[in-house]
Amino acid sequence: MRILGISAYYHDSAAALIVDGDVVAAAQEERFTRRKHDPSFPANAISYCLQNVGCTPRDLDAIAFYDKPFLKFERLLETYMSFAPAGFSSFRKAMPLWLREKLFQKDLLLREFRKIDGGDIDPKRLLFSEHHFAHAASAFFPSPFTDAAVLTMDGVGEWTTSSLAIGSGNDLAIEKELRFPHSLGLLYSAFTYYLGFKVNSGEYKVMGLAPYGEPKFAQAILDRIVDVKQDGTFWLDQTYFDYCTGLTMTNDRFSNLFGQPVRKPDQLLTQFHMDMAASIQAVTEEIVLKLGRSIRAETGARHLCLAGGVALNCVANGKLLKERIFEDIWIQPAAGDAGGAVGTALAAYHVNMGQPRRIRPNRQDGMSGGYLGPEFSQDEIERELRVAKACFTTLSDDELINATAQALAEGKAVGWMQGRMEFGPRALGARSILGDPRSAIMQKMLNLKVKYRESFRPFAPSVLREDVSEWFELDCASPYMLLVADVVASRRRQMTASEASLFGIDKLNVPRSEIPAVTHVDYSARIQTVDREVNAPYHALISRFKALTGCPVLVNTSFNVRGEPIVCTPSDAFRCFMGSEIEVLVVGNAYLEKEEQDPGLKLNYEHAFELD
């Protein structure tokens, strides 16, 4: 049985294909169009998924969409009516698009499918799932748990902003929900906007900025803006926000409360902004922990699954795990809207069609390590590189691992493209830029000369699964880079009194451990554990680096520059290589060094993409 899942028309459009209950292919549209967070109909992602199994839309048993447009339209109308006459300008801009396209999304989807070969499909095979049910399904059905509570948190779906579902076998049902406009995702996005970052893109910057500050404004947020109950449910005072009716997230009352206007994107980040980031992060963690405790107490569930955009807050996830509220937690790696494509397809298979669920042995999940995107044969790789006029050497597997590990040990930045592309926002060793974590200058160099982004942003460590507890305060798998834990005390460096007294961004250049490039200013790290069975080439590379250096850790950041989607093809990888200060490129078994390339092919990627 083949079911195609689709998420589209808001942000992070994606497609996923389920065959007999297994996720066999999934990709975001942005990777093909090179437009970050592309919201359009995912024609390229759909074509990839269908080609992966050699079928056309006519061969599908069902096509499932990740939300219900009529319910969303109802929410928009009721919201505008509740706040009228405020918000008329926003209403006037939104309605023509809804009346022309979004309200009649079924017809729109059918028209788009007709453009695909074999896409004249029976309308009865087109199914619609509620947004948060799709999130819940994406979290529970691929999880390694037979039974679990499922917590979803994001901005807003149709009406729901957070939900609690209970999953058992192939059954899944939402038990409780919080509704718009009271939203943890929108609260965090409001502070993202206030701090001068792009909403639905820059939230992770707020999380990365938080450790540079102190949560001085957390109590003011709790006293004036959000009323958090003991069970983690909450109420937002809408007099501070503008997202219901306006074109911005916050209003003047919000700015007046904290004493500063909205930061402009090019404005210098100050200690105030860092303290504000720390404050909203602290409030978010408090809400997540309270929700976790109340869910455990009310349901008795031993396991928890998470999805929705807020589940990408790996700091909150790490604290939830550390509290041991649940025996284990599992987080959908594509927790945002892209993952809704997986969830709606799985919901159609297990819930609508009543198909049984298979639990995999050894607590394996159903996401294949996240490696669900396109891959390229060595012939295809070499053909694309030749067209791009690249100079490369084809090495054997052992030669490739040895040469790459040696380059990393010499402090070089390496672009690494192997196997199937990752699904979700994290590079997991298939489309990654790698570096030596022992280097005190690696973080700054990668941020400023390779990624062309803000210097404060931290990098993640990839560590051999068998060695994780020797380097970090974590003794479980974290394959999707969605858990934060501290570097173990024995690996930390004792700071001097003057270093310890530093504030804000001045903390950045103080080495804090044996692996300073991946140790944040609070000694934390966003960890990816690498398992030999899941990604053999990447595991082999880190193992060889360990043999050379004694360190089983690499710096791992996504293979792109700021504002660019992660690379998909060998051509994408070569362009990014030539447009940045990456020194070595490895694509399949092709090994490229920057100094051997034609200088005339060099590109300037620093300003090539819109800032994120």
Side-chain angles (χ1 to χ4, degrees):
M1 186 174 288
R2 296 167 173 170
I3 300 174
L4 181 72
I6 301 171
S7 62
Y9 303 127
Y10 184 46
H11 59 85
D12 295 316
S13 291
L17 186 63
I18 311 302
V19 177
D20 296 332
D22 292 330
V23 186
V24 298
Q28 288 177 232
E29 186 68 4
E30 66 165 20
R31 307 294 171 86
F32 304 94
T33 63
R34 314 307 299 155
R35 177 188 174 196
K36 194 154 187 175
H37 303 301
D38 192 338
S40 60
F41 179 78
N44 295 285
I46 290 170
S47 294
Y48 154 68
C49 289
L50 296 176
Q51 289 168 10
N52 185 265
V53 297
C55 73
T56 71
R58 286 200 198 100
D59 301 318
L60 299 170
D61 294 277
I63 297 168
F65 192 73
Y66 84 132
D67 72 6
K68 293 189 174 181
F70 277 98
L71 286 178
K72 187 172 284 189
F73 184 67
E74 174 189 76
R75 188 248 301 167
L76 290 172
L77 281 181
E78 287 197 22
T79 300
Y80 284 127
M81 290 174 66
S82 297
F83 286 85
F88 178 72
S89 61
S90 175
F91 175 83
R92 186 176 56 190
K93 290 181 179 180
M95 282 307 104
L97 179 62
W98 270 92
L99 294 175
R100 186 174 65 250
E101 292 182 2
K102 291 189 175 184
L103 187 58
F104 305 103
Q105 216 151 78
K106 187 171 185 177
D107 291 338
L108 176 62
L109 290 169
L110 291 171
R111 287 199 305 272
E112 292 290 353
F113 268 101
R114 289 188 194 108
K115 299 175 185 177
I116 300 172
D117 184 40
D120 194 5
I121 59 174
D122 183 351
K124 293 178 182 177
R125 285 190 288 153
L126 188 56
L127 308 175
F128 292 83
S129 167
E130 286 195 25
H131 184 93
H132 272 258
F133 193 77
H135 275 320
S138 79
F140 176 63
F141 290 128
S143 80
F145 310 135
T146 303
D147 304 281
V150 186
L151 176 61
T152 69
M153 303 168 288
D154 68 1
V156 61
E158 295 87 3
W159 278 103
T160 307
T161 63
S162 298
S163 75
L164 167 63
I166 301 297
S168 179
N170 69 340
D171 184 56
L172 180 68
I174 291 180
E175 303 289 328
K176 292 184 176 182
E177 58 185 31
L178 284 173
R179 291 195 143 204
F180 184 84
H182 309 293
S183 165
L184 183 55
L186 290 176
L187 175 67
Y188 206 92
S189 291
F191 280 83
T192 300
Y193 166 82
Y194 183 63
L195 290 171
F197 303 127
K198 187 179 290 187
V199 172
N200 292 326
S201 176
E203 283 77 6
Y204 57 92
K205 296 186 190 181
V206 177
M207 185 176 66
L209 188 64
Y212 292 97
E214 297 179 9
K216 295 179 178 179
F217 302 99
Q219 197 57 51
I221 295 170
L222 292 168
D223 288 343
R224 304 289 293 275
I225 292 179
V226 54
D227 179 16
V228 182
K229 307 301 182 185
Q230 195 57 41
D231 65 356
T233 59
F234 53 89
W235 176 90
L236 300 183
D237 186 343
Q238 290 302 305
T239 62
Y240 290 97
F241 302 99
D242 204 26
Y243 58 74
C244 280
T245 58
L247 301 175
T248 60
M249 294 299 296
T250 64
N251 57 28
D252 289 343
R253 191 164 190 249
F254 187 102
S255 298
N256 292 337
L257 174 64
F258 298 112
Q260 290 202 25
V262 174
R263 173 181 166 268
K264 293 180 172 60
D266 58 352
Q267 182 183 337
L268 183 70
L269 285 162
T270 68
Q271 190 62 50
F272 168 80
H273 301 115
M274 298 169 200
D275 292 341
M276 190 62 68
S279 300
I280 187 55
Q281 181 63 33
V283 169
T284 298
E285 291 166 14
E286 179 178 336
I287 291 172
V288 170
L289 289 173
K290 283 186 173 180
L291 284 169
R293 293 189 192 102
S294 67
I295 289 170
R296 179 63 193 260
E298 290 176 21
T299 67
R302 296 181 299 115
H303 303 125
L304 180 71
C305 301
L306 295 168
V310 177
L312 293 172
N313 193 306
C314 50
V315 179
N317 295 341
K319 294 193 174 179
L320 186 61
L321 179 71
K322 191 175 182 179
E323 287 280 317
R324 300 296 179 192
I325 299 167
F326 297 90
E327 292 179 17
D328 201 359
I329 65 175
W330 189 84
I331 308 150
Q332 163 57 237
D337 276 11
V342 168
T344 191
L346 288 170
Y349 182 77
H350 293 298
V351 179
N352 293 61
M353 300 178 183
Q355 295 297 314
R357 179 166 167 250
R358 179 170 63 89
I359 303 298
R360 292 159 182 83
N362 302 319
R363 300 184 78 78
Q364 293 179 344
D365 64 47
M367 291 299 293
S368 301
Y371 308 113
L372 294 163
E375 63 180 331
F376 299 85
S377 69
Q378 189 62 28
D379 285 345
E380 290 172 323
I381 289 168
E382 294 184 12
R383 187 160 52 249
E384 285 200 23
L385 291 177
R386 288 192 187 99
V387 169
K389 299 181 181 179
C391 180
F392 63 90
T393 303
T394 301
L395 303 177
S396 69
D397 291 349
D398 287 344
E399 290 171 336
L400 188 84
I401 293 298
N402 289 335
T404 307
Q406 186 62 48
L408 289 164
E410 293 171 359
K412 294 179 180 178
V414 175
W416 174 260
M417 176 179 164
Q418 298 289 325
R420 299 186 70 177
M421 182 178 68
E422 303 92 339
F423 181 56
R426 308 292 182 221
L428 301 171
R431 304 291 189 276
S432 294
I433 298 172
L434 308 176
D436 185 347
R438 303 168 303 152
S439 169
I441 63 169
M442 183 61 66
Q443 182 202 13
K444 192 170 186 178
M445 188 271 286
L446 286 177
N447 269 327
L448 299 180
K449 293 188 176 182
V450 174
K451 302 282 283 188
Y452 302 122
R453 68 184 198 181
E454 303 94 338
S455 62
F456 71 83
R457 287 164 63 175
F459 288 106
S462 291
V463 57
L464 299 178
R465 170 67 183 92
E466 56 267 32
D467 292 331
V468 63
S469 60
E470 295 181 18
W471 291 79
F472 304 98
E473 293 179 355
L474 186 74
D475 194 16
C476 65
S478 177
Y480 301 120
M481 212 181 282
L482 286 171
L483 295 171
V484 161
D486 290 344
V487 174
V488 296
S490 62
R491 304 285 182 182
R492 297 182 192 177
R493 172 186 169 271
Q494 186 68 38
M495 287 189 292
T496 66
S498 61
E499 288 172 339
S501 67
L502 295 173
F503 286 93
I505 209 72
D506 291 334
K507 299 176 181 180
L508 176 63
N509 296 319
V510 179
R512 281 173 157 67
S513 76
E514 295 177 33
I515 43 174
V518 294
T519 305
H520 210 2
V521 294
D522 58 354
Y523 293 105
S524 69
R526 176 163 51 95
I527 298 162
Q528 179 202 4
T529 55
V530 181
D531 191 302
R532 181 185 288 106
E533 303 302 317
V534 179
N535 191 334
Y538 195 34
H539 189 278
L541 176 64
I542 302 174
S543 297
R544 182 59 182 152
F545 182 79
K546 178 185 177 183
L548 290 174
T549 66
C551 178
V553 181
L554 288 178
V555 178
N556 177 10
T557 186
S558 55
F559 197 160
N560 61 342
V561 300
R562 181 186 181 188
E564 179 195 20
I566 295 174
V567 303
C568 177
T569 67
S571 299
D572 296 336
F574 184 70
R575 279 195 302 271
C576 190
F577 172 59
M578 294 305 295
S580 67
E581 299 302 311
I582 297 172
E583 294 155 284
V584 171
L585 174 63
V586 182
V587 186
N589 285 77
Y591 189 88
L592 298 81
E593 295 181 276
K594 182 64 68 65
E595 60 264 27
E596 294 181 356
Q597 308 307 313
D598 179 354
L601 297 176
K602 187 169 176 57
L603 303 169
N604 184 358
Y605 254 37
E606 186 169 2
H607 304 293
F609 296 91
E610 181 183 355
L611 297 184
D612 59 355

